[in-house]
Amino acid sequence: MQLIRVFSVLSLAAGGLACGPLHAHDAEHEVVARDTLKIAPGPSDTQIQFAPVPSIVDPAPIDPTLGYFVGDLGGGVHWVTEGAYSNMFLVSTHGVIVVDAPPTIGRKLLYAIGNTTHLPVTHLVYSHFHADHIGGASLFNASHPTIIAHAETLSLLSSLSPRDPLRPLPHVTFQGNYTLRVGNQTLELSYHGPNHAPGNLFMYAPAQRVALLIDVVFPGWAPFSELGISTFIPGWTAAHDVLLTFDFDVFVAGHVSRLGTKDDVLLQKKYIEDMHDSCAAAINGGFDVSAAIGPTIAANPGNTWAEFKAYLRVAAQTCADNTTSRWLGVLGAVDVFAFESAYRMIESLRVESDVLGPFGVS
Ligand SMILES: *[C@@H]1O[C@H](CO)[C@@H](O)[C@H](O)[C@H]1NC(C)=O
Ligand SMILES: *[C@@H]1O[C@H](CO)[C@@H](O)[C@H](O)[C@H]1NC(C)=O
Ligand SMILES: *[C@@H]1O[C@H](CO)[C@@H](O)[C@H](O)[C@H]1NC(C)=O
Ligand SMILES: *[C@@H]1O[C@H](CO)[C@@H](O)[C@H](O)[C@H]1NC(C)=O
Ligand SMILES: *[C@@H]1O[C@H](CO)[C@@H](O)[C@H](O)[C@H]1NC(C)=O
Ligand SMILES: [Zn+2]
């Protein structure tokens, strides 16, 4: 029933073009060639010259022979980056608390800690269950740290089949807030509902005024592809405001090779609001649906998915072009993942926020 309705809505939207004088074979060829590798149209990325990244990206001075950088945030708090990922550790009087273990930092994290203190790692906190941020956790197996995470993180990790030996299950979990006290260090963990991923935590070290929130704000840069591969966009968007309620000077973002400030949170919040409004405008009559999907309908009669793909692709491209025109040079690399992030925003508006344009209640 649903498919039939969708099909008819699309065909209706495309009007007479569905029966237009297109050579099906040629059109199909073109569609296949553009879709071989990725959801975005256009030539392969190796041929694309993206805009130069502006100075706001301000990368950490990574020693090329070491391949990593350790920043001292005072009061025993340190952050580590290898250029693309970042995490944090806190040296206490009793041992070290490590937050996340990105596999790309890997053993460099052990070196960073080992060159800072002789104390053992006693606690390991997972921000969320994603392997690209905690897949290096088993490197700490030998020191048997107490692993702490939100209950959702335990639930997700234990439901993986097979289980991942590189991400040992947390020993201590909680639902709302948890205050971790080790020696002289205090780290407040709080959960405000699903955002980037279920279980993704806000962390705050009050003595040092340092916050940590992973995969939400990308300081100086546009978000990574598909809004940072986030699963619940309304919660991810709201997380910007939640982060601003903490009294911090800098925050560790999990990505890019610098820390973030409140100004970075406010700037990305504006960017996301603009993309949200531009994507809503695209859905609500921002482009000619008939022109966008007519050739695909003609080339693929009876193939509802093909029509929908054409619709979503033009909606996302319309939104991406509109947003990028205002943000190029303001944040780094807005032109690189604009399509993929607009595509994610379009999907979120449609199914999470009920902005359905031509597919609303009929
Ligand atoms: C806690 O102790 C460590 C290790 O002695 C020290 O480096 C750090 O500055 C102390 N932090 C606080 C907040 O007292
Ligand atoms: C200190 O850092 C160097 C370079 O990364 C590394 O080779 C060495 O093993 C580290 N020392 C400790 C005690 O971890
Ligand atoms: C690390 O320890 C956990 C148990 O805490 C175990 O399940 C896992 O297989 C170990 N991983 C590796 C790579 O040794
Ligand atoms: C958790 O802490 C935050 C502040 O960090 C607070 O707003 C929230 O009400 C707390 N939630 C619970 C369940 O205690
Ligand atoms: C671009 O987006 C803005 C909202 O950010 C909207 O008002 C405008 O209509 C859009 N323009 C196009 C061509 O989609
Ligand atoms: Zn993630």
Side-chain angles (χ1 to χ4, degrees), residues 175-178 188-192 202 204 242 245-246:
Q175 295 283 348
N177 294 346
Y178 184 91
E188 296 170 358
L189 317 179
S190 58
Y191 188 56
H192 298 260
F202 292 76
Y204 182 58
V242 176
T245 65
F246 291 89

Side-chain angles (χ1 to χ4, degrees), residues 306-342:
E307 296 165 24
F308 236 110
K309 181 168 177 132
Y311 172 81
L312 292 171
R313 185 162 57 189
V314 180
Q317 196 65 57
T318 303
C319 173
D321 292 346
N322 189 354
T323 314
T324 301
S325 67
R326 284 180 292 279
W327 286 87
L328 206 58
V330 179
L331 286 170
V334 289
D335 52 340
V336 177
F337 287 126
F339 175 85
E340 287 81 358
S341 286

Side-chain angles (χ1 to χ4, degrees), residues 239-268:
H240 292 67
D241 291 319
V242 176
L243 180 56
L244 289 168
T245 65
F246 291 89
D247 197 11
F248 66 88
D249 298 318
V250 292
F251 75 99
V252 176
H255 278 285
V256 313
S257 71
R258 78 162 168 83
L259 297 164
T261 62
K262 289 207 165 179
D263 283 346
D264 292 314
V265 183
L266 289 164
L267 191 60
Q268 183 176 295

Side-chain angles (χ1 to χ4, degrees), residues 66 68 110-111 114-115:
L66 286 182
Y68 68 97
L110 304 182
Y111 302 150
N115 279 277

Side-chain angles (χ1 to χ4, degrees), residues 177-239:
N177 294 346
Y178 184 91
T179 302
L180 177 61
R181 288 196 181 87
V182 182
N184 64 343
Q185 294 289 5
T186 299
L187 186 63
E188 296 170 358
L189 317 179
S190 58
Y191 188 56
H192 298 260
N195 51 72
H196 161 70
N200 196 33
L201 293 173
F202 292 76
M203 301 189 201
Y204 182 58
Q208 299 86 353
R209 296 170 54 86
V210 171
L212 177 145
L213 177 65
I214 304 301
D215 283 343
V216 175
V217 177
F218 297 76
W221 293 74
F224 186 70
S225 185
E226 296 151 78
L227 301 175
I229 320 180
S230 294
T231 49
F232 184 55
I233 302 306
W236 181 81
T237 303

Side-chain angles (χ1 to χ4, degrees), residues 74-78 91-94 117 119 183-186 207-208:
V77 178
H78 304 263
V91 181
S92 86
T93 44
H94 283 59
T117 178
L119 290 167
N184 64 343
Q185 294 289 5
T186 299
Q208 299 86 353

